[in-house]
Amino acid sequence: MRAARASLVAGVTAGGLLLFAGPAFAHVSVQPGTAEKGGWSTIALKVPNEKDNASTVKLELTLDPKHPLVSVMPQAVPGWDVKVEKTKLDKPVQMHGKSIDEAVSKVTWTGGKIEPGQFQQFPLSVGQLPTDADELVFKALQTYSDDDVVRWIDPSKPGGEEPEHPAPVLKLVAKGAAGGAGDHHDDAKGDKDAKSDKGDKVTATAEEKKSDGGSDTTARTLGVVGIVVGAAGIAFGVLAGRRRRDSAA
């Protein structure tokens, strides 16, 4: 019991430290942080509100011009309006048998609010990701209701200290190394995974019920034993009292 209490106190203390330390390390980031080269992926810009007296009211995301993406589709975010801007490519690219001469260069969200102490995710479906790069660097501008603009555009240097306002980065890895972060349009695989997850949940539920049933049965058994032992004790006490009275007589 003392060990359990000590663990609880330690956990609460650690949680408190993280709570107070969180805002100092919070910044605009890409979730998940990795995707497969040459594939398609669904990512999200995670935007925390770092101010106590102002709300985030605008997010501007500029894509990497060195590695243009011909397809960038934002998912609707309740309360927010989104605008997608495109620019002409110096060299058209071929995709699905078509020649594409423009790519998305900027995505802007406005109209909503991220209140103090909260964060918001802005999902995007992006592709086709480059095969000749190890990362995609985005630049994000976060505008607050007090007109303050935080520019998340600083490059991060390998092995160096993290800059004050690092630019969001999507790491690009070889096929099969992204841990399922990519979106490969494989509906059959998705259905299989969904069925597997459902089966796992059913199995877990059955095991939980079995465990609960076992615990309930054990509790009832112990209760019955306790009653029997208590009754035996009372009977023994009554019998002992009678013997003492008979001896005294």
Side-chain angles (χ1 to χ4, degrees):
M1 182 62 72
R2 291 182 178 177
R5 289 179 179 175
S7 298
L8 179 60
V9 171
V12 171
T13 302
L17 291 175
L18 289 174
L19 178 63
F20 287 105
F25 297 96
H27 53 72
V28 175
S29 60
V30 178
Q31 305 291 330
T34 60
E36 293 182 357
K37 294 182 179 181
W40 299 72
S41 184
T42 298
I43 61 175
L45 273 296
K46 183 178 180 181
V47 183
N49 192 93
E50 295 187 310
K51 288 197 169 187
D52 296 329
N53 57 354
S55 301
T56 297
V57 295
K58 183 178 181 180
L59 175 67
E60 299 172 77
L61 181 69
T62 300
L63 281 68
D64 190 346
K66 297 180 180 179
H67 303 285
L69 300 175
V70 296
S71 178
V72 177
M73 294 187 295
Q75 179 178 320
V77 179
W80 292 81
D81 299 320
V82 60
K83 179 182 178 181
V84 178
E85 300 179 35
K86 297 182 178 182
T87 57
K88 290 288 184 179
L89 297 176
D90 295 333
K91 182 180 180 180
V93 297
Q94 298 296 319
M95 180 173 290
H96 303 303
K98 296 181 180 181
S99 180
I100 300 176
D101 62 355
E102 62 180 9
V104 175
S105 57
K106 188 176 182 180
V107 184
T108 304
W109 290 269
T110 56
K113 283 186 178 182
I114 306 175
E115 302 289 352
Q118 299 180 1
F119 73 91
Q120 178 66 56
Q121 291 191 341
F122 299 89
L124 292 170
S125 174
V126 296
Q128 186 172 3
L129 298 174
T131 58
D132 58 348
D134 294 326
E135 65 181 20
L136 283 180
V137 179
F138 303 97
K139 293 184 178 182
L141 271 61
Q142 181 179 11
T143 302
Y144 285 89
S145 55
D146 60 359
D147 295 328
D148 185 22
V149 179
V150 181
R151 301 168 61 85
W152 302 96
I153 62 174
D154 299 336
S156 298
K157 297 180 180 180
E161 287 188 14
E162 183 178 72
E164 184 177 359
H165 299 105
V169 176
L170 176 64
K171 297 291 184 180
L172 301 178
V173 298
K175 187 175 181 180
D183 178 8
H184 307 290
H185 308 286
D186 191 344
D187 295 336
K189 183 178 183 295
D191 292 341
K192 182 179 179 181
D193 291 342
K195 291 179 181 178
S196 177
D197 291 342
K198 184 177 181 181
D200 291 343
K201 291 179 180 178
V202 171
T203 300
T205 301
E207 290 179 350
E208 289 171 359
K209 289 182 177 179
K210 181 179 179 182
S211 176
D212 292 343
S215 299
D216 186 57
T217 300
T218 301
R220 290 178 180 178
T221 301
L222 292 175
V224 172
V225 171
I227 293 173
V228 172
V229 172
I234 293 172
F236 180 78
V238 172
L239 181 60
R242 288 179 178 177
R243 288 180 177 178
R244 284 195 296 270
R245 287 197 297 269
D246 292 343
S247 298

